[in-house]
């Protein structure tokens, strides 16, 4: 079991930002990634629909012997993390939540910005985090319709994404924020452009490294850490076009890797 893979999923390529940090922290672990690109983005979908996708993907990853499942998607975590733990008792899950806590604690002016999808803002996970950690903070949230699709296309820098992000970020800067939470795993791939726009006076909070540390803690606590040496195996699947994810791996992770295809059939994923 210790050499079984860590299962990781997202609606698309965004979760690769989480995979990147997990791989850097635990080089020898085997990783299994699934991108549900047939249904990307999740952010505008009803929460119940996202729960159904998340459960089907989890069943697929468990059939591939995943020892732990990482919900590497803010929308899916907000919509489905609690229900996944109920539906699959005994399976360790690590989700991702908007990093409101560190942003609120670090804000000098008590004003923080959050970039996230509508479904993330509407989910119970976000509400709980705000209630616990941001009562005394002015929180300015912005949705970013279309940004996931731009990043899915591999455009993480350049004039198009810069213009888009300027339109989103300038109003937040006018609100006087001094911390910015990246509430979607796609957004860290545009970190360089975001940092150039907001400048050094705004701290950018990326939750992905914290997710990787939590995965490591859970594996160690359960005695599931891998025992291999050297780099672990990396396997990738998509419900969309394999060429698209292969291109994203080259552009975002500088990695050449084959991608397997899966398709949805009556709420289940099967290999093509």
């Amino acid at each position: 079991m210790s050499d079984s893979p860590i299962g990781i999923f997202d609606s698309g390529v965004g979760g690769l930002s989480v995979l990147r940090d997990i791989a850097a922290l635990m080089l020898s672990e085997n990783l299994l990634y699934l991108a549900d690109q047939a249904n990307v983005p999740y952010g505008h979908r009803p929460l119940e629909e996202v729960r159904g996708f998340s459960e089907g993907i989890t069943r697929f990853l468990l059939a591939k012997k995943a020892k732990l499942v990482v919900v590497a998607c803010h929308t899916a975590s907000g919509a489905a993390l609690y229900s996944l733990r109920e539906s699959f008792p005994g399976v360790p899950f690590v989700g991702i939540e908007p990093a409101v806590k560190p942003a609120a604690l670090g804000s000098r002016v008590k004003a923080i910005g959050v970039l996230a999808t509508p479904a993330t803002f509407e989910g119970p996970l976000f509400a709980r985090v705000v209630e616990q950690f941001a009562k005394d903070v002015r929180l300015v949230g912005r949705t970013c319709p279309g940004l996931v699709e731009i990043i899915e296309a591999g455009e993480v820098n350049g004039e198009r994404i810069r213009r888009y992000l300027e339109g989103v970020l300038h109003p937040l800067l006018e609100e006087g924020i001094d911390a910015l939470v990246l509430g979607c795993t796609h957004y860290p791939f545009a970190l360089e452009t975001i940092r150039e726009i907001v400048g050094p006076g705004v701290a950018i909070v990326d939750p992905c490294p914290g997710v990787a540390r939590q995965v490591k803690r859970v594996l160690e606590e359960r005695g599931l850490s891998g025992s291999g040496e050297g780099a672990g195996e990396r396997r990738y699947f998509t419900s969309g076009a394999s060429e698209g994810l292969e291109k994203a791996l080259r552009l975002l992770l500088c990695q050449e890797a084959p991608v397997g295809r899966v398709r949805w059939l009556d709420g289940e994923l099967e290999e093509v």
Side-chain angles (χ1 to χ4, degrees), residues 214-231:
Q214 178 64 9
V215 170
K216 188 172 189 292
R217 281 193 293 269
V218 173
L219 291 178
E220 290 172 347
E221 289 169 359
R222 297 192 176 219
L224 296 175
S225 299
S227 59
E229 296 181 359

Side-chain angles (χ1 to χ4, degrees), residues 98-121:
V100 170
K101 179 181 178 180
L105 292 174
S107 175
R108 302 179 306 278
V109 301
K110 298 303 178 182
I112 66 174
V114 180
L115 302 182
T117 66
T120 294
F121 283 128

Side-chain angles (χ1 to χ4, degrees), residues 9 42 46-56 58 71 73-88 93 95-96 119 123-125:
F9 78 88
Y42 281 178
L47 299 183
E48 190 59 38
E49 187 177 28
V50 176
R51 291 189 191 103
F53 293 149
S54 300
E55 291 182 4
T58 296
V71 187
C73 171
H74 286 82
T75 298
S77 289
L81 187 58
Y82 296 144
S83 63
L84 287 173
R85 287 172 172 156
E86 291 178 355
S87 299
F88 301 93
F93 287 92
I96 187 167
L125 190 59

Side-chain angles (χ1 to χ4, degrees), residues 247-268:
K247 177 184 175 182
L249 290 170
R250 289 193 297 271
L251 291 173
L252 302 177
L253 298 186
C254 300
Q255 184 178 133
E256 293 281 352
V259 172
R261 283 207 62 231
V262 296
R263 66 180 176 186
W264 287 101
L265 185 63
D266 298 327
E268 302 294 334

Side-chain angles (χ1 to χ4, degrees), residues 107-168:
S107 175
R108 302 179 306 278
V109 301
K110 298 303 178 182
I112 66 174
V114 180
L115 302 182
T117 66
T120 294
F121 283 128
E122 294 165 9
L125 190 59
F126 182 78
R128 180 181 64 79
V129 170
V130 172
E131 175 68 19
Q132 283 186 308
F133 305 116
K135 285 184 176 180
D136 62 342
V137 170
R138 185 164 56 88
L139 190 152
V140 187
R142 288 295 301 271
T143 59
C144 303
L147 182 54
V148 165
E149 289 89 337
I150 294 172
I151 295 171
E152 284 283 320
E155 297 182 52
V156 295
N157 47 46
E159 190 59 31
R160 181 188 180 200
I161 195 169
R162 172 176 286 279
R163 285 199 308 269
Y164 181 100
L165 288 170
E166 285 175 344
V168 170

